[in-house]
Amino acid sequence: MAKNFTRHEGGFLIIDEIKNHLSEIRLGITVTKRFGDAHHRNRLKRIVREAFRLSYPDLRKGIDINVRPLGKARQATVPEIQSEFKRFFGS
């Protein structure tokens, strides 16, 4: 089976990218119970959504991305996550 996505691994996140043939970029977030309690999972999702919202104008369009956290992501801040988005998907 052919690999139809690209995987990026940063300091806080593992991000899978796949082309979507649209003029926008879409975000998916996968955080399992293994990451931590509900408040840790929800905090991370809020931070990732906010970083995505702030980075959106600078990101290249036409892709879907799915974000999964690494263990260090518990201490991540919005600017740190935003910098990962821009590093991997900046236009």
Side-chain angles (χ1 to χ4, degrees):
M1 182 174 199
K3 180 177 154 185
N4 60 356
F5 68 91
T6 305
R7 178 163 290 159
H8 307 279
E9 188 166 338
F12 301 100
L13 304 172
I14 296 173
I15 305 173
D16 294 330
E17 165 192 2
I18 188 167
K19 294 192 184 312
N20 69 14
H21 305 294
L22 300 173
S23 60
E24 61 187 33
I25 182 172
R26 298 185 295 186
L27 173 69
I29 305 170
T30 304
V31 187
T32 64
K33 287 184 178 182
R34 191 171 74 178
F35 182 73
D37 294 336
H39 63 278
H40 290 120
R41 296 191 307 268
N42 291 335
R43 177 186 177 277
L44 178 76
K45 289 188 280 187
R46 282 194 306 273
I47 287 172
V48 169
R49 279 190 219 106
E50 180 64 8
F52 180 77
R53 184 186 70 80
L54 294 171
S55 303
Y56 189 86
D58 301 324
L59 303 179
R60 60 184 151 84
K61 308 302 184 244
I63 58 174
D64 292 337
I65 61 175
N66 187 56
V67 174
R68 292 180 296 143
L70 294 170
K72 292 178 11 180
R74 272 197 193 169
Q75 291 82 28
T77 62
V78 171
E80 291 169 331
I81 300 295
Q82 192 175 357
S83 125
E84 289 197 4
F85 281 139
K86 287 182 180 179
R87 183 175 71 182
F88 296 132
F89 307 109
S91 44

